[in-house]
Amino acid sequence: MITSAILARLDLRGRLFLGAILAALILVPVLNLVVPAGSPLHVPTWLVSLLGKYLCYAILALALDLVWGYCGILSLGHGAFFALGGYAMGMYLMRQIGTRGVYGHPVLPDFMVFLNWKELPWFWYGFDMFPFALLMVFLAPGILAFVFGWFAFRSRVTGVYLSIITQALTYALMLAFFRNDMGFGGNNGLTDFKDIVGFPVQAQGTRVALFALTLIALAGSYILARAIVTSKAGKVLVAIRDAESRTRFLGFRVERYKLFVFTLSAMMAGLAGALYVPQVGIINPSEFAPGNSIEVVIWVAVGGRGTLVGAAIGAVLVNFAKTTFTTGALAPYWLFALGALFVLTTLYMPKGVIGTYAEWREKRRERASLAAHAASKPAE
């Protein structure tokens, strides 16, 4: 019953996307754990972690596409929600170190001992329990997004002004988290993780499990987003994107719809950050950098704004290119290439890779239909 209801909301593109996720969920663990290391089909553990990082970025891009592609809210601060989710998970991982740290303190993380902290700050309480940390992964970015959106949307801040404010938000958080007295590790952030729910973070099986969990989270995030955009509320979101004043004139509480989707998107970004941290092994204030949030916009634009699947694919493609071209002689030119990619996409593929391909297929079908119709007419 539930499965049929979910499939009913998916188009062919979505089914192919979930099919690819299912295939990766089966193949990658098998090729890593079962296939011998000497085989050309073996997937090394470092590659599993790298792919897991790409998938975390895909969830983040999908979260941004939900608010930008379907509601017209261009957020340049989604990196802040991603980082907050990452810090919530990082705090849990730091509490699991215990006496295995450099200073061997049973409660205080190493950076607090180094800074002569005498006791654990109140906001670190509870992070020794995984359920509490998981709750904070969603609540920390969700509450921030709700409070921010409450004031911004009620004040009817829109367009470029809203984008600038969201960018200022993430920049302010970056400056705050860089301070040692904030209690989040300062410039170095949180690292040297040992265990997650009792399993060694660096173990091969743990890496594969985190990869699988990220795939499942990506599939769940897509299904949730798809359910929203195909619902009645989704139609209202699109109406707000295309004609906000007219939608308000028709009696819809625009602020409520914006607040709902913005908060939900922030929580999805927080989940992406929480999955990112144990796979990368560190979280620091550089994740709040405004440039990171701008990169997410580029991923969505390249893949296809307002397609969901395109946003996820764009994140994977751009980050694969980043990994490839930031090593060797081309490394100094990556940012120029990224900027050129965004400009060229905006000028020549405004609907992104997926949107442009869909448009090309539609035109091809129309030409084929016209040709068949012309051929079926009797010759005069």
Side-chain angles (χ1 to χ4, degrees):
M1 187 82 174
I2 298 177
T3 304
S4 60
I6 292 173
L7 291 177
R9 292 183 178 272
L10 300 177
D11 54 6
L12 177 60
R13 182 191 305 159
R15 293 178 184 181
L16 291 174
F17 180 66
L18 292 180
I21 290 178
L22 179 61
L25 188 61
I26 297 172
L27 288 176
V28 173
V30 170
L31 294 176
N32 176 260
L33 298 174
V34 179
V35 176
S39 172
L41 296 178
H42 176 74
V43 176
T45 304
W46 67 264
L47 182 57
V48 173
S49 296
L50 182 63
L51 292 175
K53 183 176 78 168
Y54 292 165
L55 294 173
C56 293
Y57 289 150
I59 298 173
L60 176 58
L62 196 149
L64 178 63
D65 192 30
L66 184 60
V67 293
W68 183 33
Y70 290 92
C71 195
I73 302 173
L74 177 54
S75 169
L76 296 181
H78 257 54
F81 307 130
F82 178 84
L84 285 175
Y87 265 97
M89 180 56 66
M91 291 166 73
Y92 163 76
L93 295 172
M94 291 296 291
R95 293 297 309 273
Q96 302 308 300
I97 296 175
T99 56
R100 291 173 294 174
V102 175
Y103 297 100
H105 197 285
V107 177
L108 296 181
D110 283 339
F111 74 89
M112 291 187 184
V113 178
F114 177 77
L115 295 173
N116 293 320
W117 289 57
K118 302 304 180 184
E119 58 183 14
L120 195 71
W122 64 268
F123 48 84
W124 277 75
Y125 292 156
F127 279 98
D128 55 331
M129 299 177 291
F130 183 77
F132 179 83
L134 186 61
L135 182 64
M136 289 299 105
V137 163
F138 294 102
L139 282 185
I143 291 174
L144 176 63
F146 183 86
V147 173
F148 174 86
W150 174 269
F151 290 104
F153 300 142
R154 283 174 61 88
S155 301
R156 299 190 181 182
V157 180
T158 58
V160 66
Y161 302 104
L162 181 64
S163 300
I164 292 173
I165 294 175
T166 56
Q167 191 173 52
L169 172 68
T170 187
Y171 186 70
L173 286 171
M174 182 186 71
L175 294 179
F177 274 72
F178 265 120
R179 295 166 56 106
N180 287 328
D181 56 2
M182 283 289 291
F184 295 105
N187 182 57
N188 296 322
L190 310 177
T191 188
D192 194 29
F193 308 133
K194 308 295 184 184
D195 298 331
I196 179 169
V197 292
F199 296 95
V201 172
Q202 299 297 332
Q204 181 181 11
T206 307
R207 293 286 179 176
V208 173
L210 287 169
F211 171 82
L213 285 173
T214 308
L215 274 173
I216 294 170
L218 176 59
S221 298
Y222 171 75
I223 292 172
L224 176 61
R226 181 69 184 174
I228 291 172
V229 300
T230 55
S231 66
K232 293 181 180 179
K235 292 180 174 59
V236 176
L237 293 177
V238 173
I240 293 171
R241 178 195 67 188
D242 296 337
E244 181 175 335
S245 58
R246 185 174 298 178
T247 306
R248 182 178 284 108
F249 179 76
L250 291 174
F252 291 98
R253 299 295 297 269
V254 170
E255 295 78 12
R256 293 184 179 181
Y257 285 94
K258 282 187 170 184
L259 186 60
F260 163 72
V261 74
F262 189 70
T263 303
L264 177 64
S265 176
M267 295 170 73
M268 291 169 59
L271 174 62
L275 291 166
Y276 170 86
V277 168
Q279 296 183 84
V280 175
I282 188 172
I283 179 72
N284 59 41
S286 64
E287 296 296 338
F288 287 101
N292 292 350
S293 297
I294 295 174
E295 277 196 40
V296 183
V297 174
I298 297 176
W299 305 341
V300 176
V302 170
R305 175 191 172 197
T307 62
L308 296 179
V309 172
I313 293 176
V316 174
L317 290 178
V318 175
N319 280 285
F320 173 77
K322 182 177 182 179
T323 302
T324 304
F325 294 109
T326 51
T327 56
L330 296 176
Y333 308 103
W334 164 247
L335 290 179
F336 295 101
L338 184 64
L341 178 65
F342 182 61
V343 172
L344 292 174
T345 300
T346 304
L347 291 177
Y348 299 106
M349 289 196 306
K351 295 184 179 181
V353 174
I354 297 298
T356 302
Y357 175 72
E359 187 178 38
W360 173 78
R361 283 193 62 188
E362 185 64 29
K363 289 181 179 179
R364 187 179 178 183
R365 287 176 182 173
E366 290 178 0
R367 287 195 298 266
S369 178
L370 292 174
H373 181 69
S376 65
K377 286 184 177 180
E380 296 182 0

